């Protein structure tokens, strides 16, 4: 595969060049969303890891900034988070002009050691100074990483809390601090639930159930790799309570052994923004998988490798009597929706000759007289399969088959993902497509599947009923407004 075969996304954040993995230091400050990210300033492999930087006022148009925190002789700058030190607890800023404080993992190679270090910015996140007393939290171990810091304000008091992982022990460790530099141990969580691979990039935050401020639960997000539901990297979440010291899982919250945040292969290391109201809790994840991330084609002649998911607002909802995390993408600019006419479909019919390269598709299909249906995305109108999204009502799942052309990307790329959905007669989906990715939101956003897609030869959209005719109540496609 050549570089030209990996097109730059339209809707998704991607750096101008070079390697990118996890989002870091997500913070909303003075009207701007700051997105830092794991990057290699020197090339397209995972090396010299530093924090890249972009910012946006609307989460869709991103301005690229110079490297924010550069690797040095102490180590690479692995994943972490940023907070606004409003009370100037650290003393790095002032009460009027609060510093942004980043906690990140300083990862040294020789000896192999991972400890948490601090950098601060007194110019609203544009330039950063590493703290002279680094590292600020060192357990003397080699896989202690990914600090996510937040301000806890509750019955137990008001202080900073850090969640980080002892990755190979599959443990989330919680610490507290009054000044962001001195940390004391609070408690640990795990290993439990999905415990294959290593645990990485935890996040912990409160959400109100169905928007009810008197029923607040805490959600712990844990990325793990390998051992994800679709193979390789994946993300689980745990709903529970946090009393300021200990996080305890709500055992009957969801009724499932493991709650997967995403059923695809390419949603990893997702974390949320600091500085937003509880109802606006927003996550961005890396749209890739360590199974093949290092060998993906580097795109568009710019030698760039890596993109993010759409930003997603998170909420907690009761669905079929259980609590579920719901994700709703922050809408990107779209052209007017085009509704497609299709009434009853049995044999395969082409709905559109040219599906937009990027955009949103919403669909509502009544399957009461059928076993399900299959949607062929970017297929050849003459009959080739393309990407196949199928609904099987009996099984109560949808599947996404991205095998066609997948072996050109990487040998472990071709796959069929499966996601349980509520098994109703009427299936409603919201699908965001980009040149090389798909994000599928089902059950009102409580089931999500994110996959990178191989380059496709076809452009058409087709549908067929399976085990009978389906009634297409609505299919509408809105093309993304191409930036620039
Ligand atoms: C997750 C991760 C983190 C680590 C970073 C290194 O993808 O492995 O645990 O801090 O990437 O780039």
């Amino acid at each position: 595969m050549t570089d030209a075969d990996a097109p730059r996304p339209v809707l998704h954040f991607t750096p101008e060049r070079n390697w990118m993995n996890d989002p870091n230091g997500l913070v909303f400050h003075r009207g701007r969303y700051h997105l830092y990210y794991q990057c290699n300033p020197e090339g397209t492999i995972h090396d010299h890891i530093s924090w890249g930087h972009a910012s946006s006022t609307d989460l869709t148009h991103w301005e690229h900034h110079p490297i924010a925190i550069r690797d040095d002789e102490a180590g690479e700058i692995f994943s972490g988070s940023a907070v606004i030190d409003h009370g100037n607890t650290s003393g790095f800023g002032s009460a009027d002009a609060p510093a942004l404080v980043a906690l990140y993992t300083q990862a040294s190679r020789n000896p192999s050691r991972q400890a948490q270090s601090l950098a601060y910015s007194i110019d609203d996140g544009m330039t950063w100074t590493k703290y002279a007393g680094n590292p600020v939290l060192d357990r003397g171990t080699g896989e202690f990483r990914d600090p996510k810091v937040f301000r806890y304000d509750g019955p137990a008091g008001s202080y900073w809390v850090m969640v980080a992982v002892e990755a190979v022990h599959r443990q989330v460790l919680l610490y507290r601090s009054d000044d962001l530099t001195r940390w004391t141990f609070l408690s640990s969580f795990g290993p439990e639930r999905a415990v294959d691979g290593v645990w990485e990039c935890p996040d912990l935050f409160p959400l109100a159930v169905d928007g009810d401020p008197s029923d607040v639960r805490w959600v712990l997000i844990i990325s793990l790799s390998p051992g994800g539901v679709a193979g390789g990297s994946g993300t689980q979440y745990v709903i529970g309570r946090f009393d300021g010291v200990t996080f305890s899982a709500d055992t009957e919250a969801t009724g499932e052994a493991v709650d997967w945040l995403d059923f695809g292969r390419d949603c990893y290391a997702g974390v949320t923004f600091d500085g937003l109201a509880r109802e606006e809790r927003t996550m961005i994840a890396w749209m890739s998988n360590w199974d093949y991330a290092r060998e993906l084609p580097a795109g568009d002649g710019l030698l760039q490798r890596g993109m993010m998911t759409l930003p997603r607002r998170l909420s907690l909802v009761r669905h079929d009597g259980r609590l579920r995390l719901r994700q709703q993408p922050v809408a990107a600019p779209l052209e007017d929706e085009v509704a497609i006419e299709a009434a009853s479909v049995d044999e395969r019919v082409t709905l559109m000759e040219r599906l937009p390269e990027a955009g949103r598709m919403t669909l509502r299909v009544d399957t009461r007289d059928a076993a399900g249906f299959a949607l062929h995305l970017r297929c050849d109108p003459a009959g080739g399969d393309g990407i196949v999204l199928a609904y099987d009502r009996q099984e109560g799942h949808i599947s996404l088959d991205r095998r066609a052309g997948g072996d050109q990307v990487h040998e472990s790329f071709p796959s069929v993902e499966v996601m349980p959905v509520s098994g109703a007669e009427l299936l409603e989906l919201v699908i965001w497509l980009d040149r090389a990715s798909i994000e599928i939101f089902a059950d009102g956003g409580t089931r999500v599947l994110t996959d990178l897609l191989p380059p496709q030869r076809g452009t058409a959209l087709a549908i067929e009923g399976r085990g009978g005719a389906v009634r297409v109540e609505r299919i509408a496609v809105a093309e993304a407004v191409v930036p620039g």
Side-chain angles (χ1 to χ4, degrees), residues 25-34 56-57 84 100 273-276 280:
L26 301 181
V27 61
F28 181 69
H29 176 60
R30 298 214 162 136
R32 290 196 88 80
Y33 296 88
H34 292 271
S56 168
T57 54
I84 310 158
L100 294 185
F273 278 87
D274 192 70
L276 290 174
E280 294 176 349

Side-chain angles (χ1 to χ4, degrees), residues 21-22 38 46 49 78-79 145-146 200-201 268-269 286 290:
N21 60 296
D22 315 352
Q38 294 282 279
H46 185 266
I49 291 298
F78 274 13
S79 285
R145 60 177 177 270
D146 306 341
E200 300 185 311
C201 299
Y268 196 62
W286 176 40
W290 282 115

Side-chain angles (χ1 to χ4, degrees), residues 108-151:
S108 67
R109 286 188 235 248
N110 278 313
S112 164
R113 175 69 73 86
Q114 294 184 350
Q116 312 327 316
S117 282
L118 183 152
Y120 60 90
S121 170
I122 49 171
D123 60 0
D124 299 325
M126 299 314 292
T127 60
W128 293 80
T129 305
K130 288 175 192 142
Y131 176 54
N134 280 338
V136 294
L137 180 56
D138 186 356
R139 292 168 46 90
T141 56
E143 304 263 3
F144 174 42
R145 60 177 177 270
D146 306 341
K148 179 74 163 76
V149 175
F150 61 91
R151 185 81 191 165

